[in-house]
């Protein structure tokens, strides 16, 4: 496996759970892990911070699965 692929694989595996945990934190409190208040930032938009948290909890693992699948199934370059 190429070094670049291995690096992307490591990043994807670490990033998915981080996005999920941030979504869980937003869903429960309205604030991200970095201290941003999403309840205030999303005022006036057609969705709440709880829906944004649910979306992040769904996207994190799905993105990880998609990236890992692509990296493992694409042929080697060159």
């Amino acid at each position: 496996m190429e070094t670049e692929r291995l690096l992307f694989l490591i990043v994807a595996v670490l990033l998915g759970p981080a996005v999920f945990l941030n979504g869980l934190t937003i869903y429960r409190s309205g604030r991200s892990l970095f201290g941003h208040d999403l309840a205030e930032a999303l005022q006036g938009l057609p969705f709440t911070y709880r829906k944004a948290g649910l979306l992040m909890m769904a996207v994190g693992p799905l993105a990880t699965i998609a990236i890992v699948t692509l990296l493992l199934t694409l042929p080697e370059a060159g």
Side-chain angles (χ1 to χ4, degrees), residues 10-20 60 64:
I10 292 169
V11 168
V13 169
L14 293 176
L15 196 59
V19 171
F20 178 83
T64 299

Side-chain angles (χ1 to χ4, degrees), residues 8-29:
F8 280 124
L9 189 64
I10 292 169
V11 168
V13 169
L14 293 176
L15 196 59
V19 171
F20 178 83
L21 289 175
N22 198 20
L24 181 63
T25 304
I26 291 169
Y27 179 78
R28 294 184 70 201
S29 68

Side-chain angles (χ1 to χ4, degrees), residues 2 15 17 23 25 31 34 36 40-41 48 50 54 59 68-69 77:
E2 297 173 4
L15 196 59
T25 304
R31 298 182 69 82
F34 307 106
H36 298 109
E40 181 181 315
T48 63
R50 293 180 76 83
L54 285 174
V59 167
V68 169
T69 302

Side-chain angles (χ1 to χ4, degrees), residues 5 13 31 42 51 53-54 62 65 68:
R5 280 187 182 211
V13 169
R31 298 182 69 82
L42 295 175
K51 288 182 184 176
L54 285 174
L62 291 176
I65 292 168
V68 169

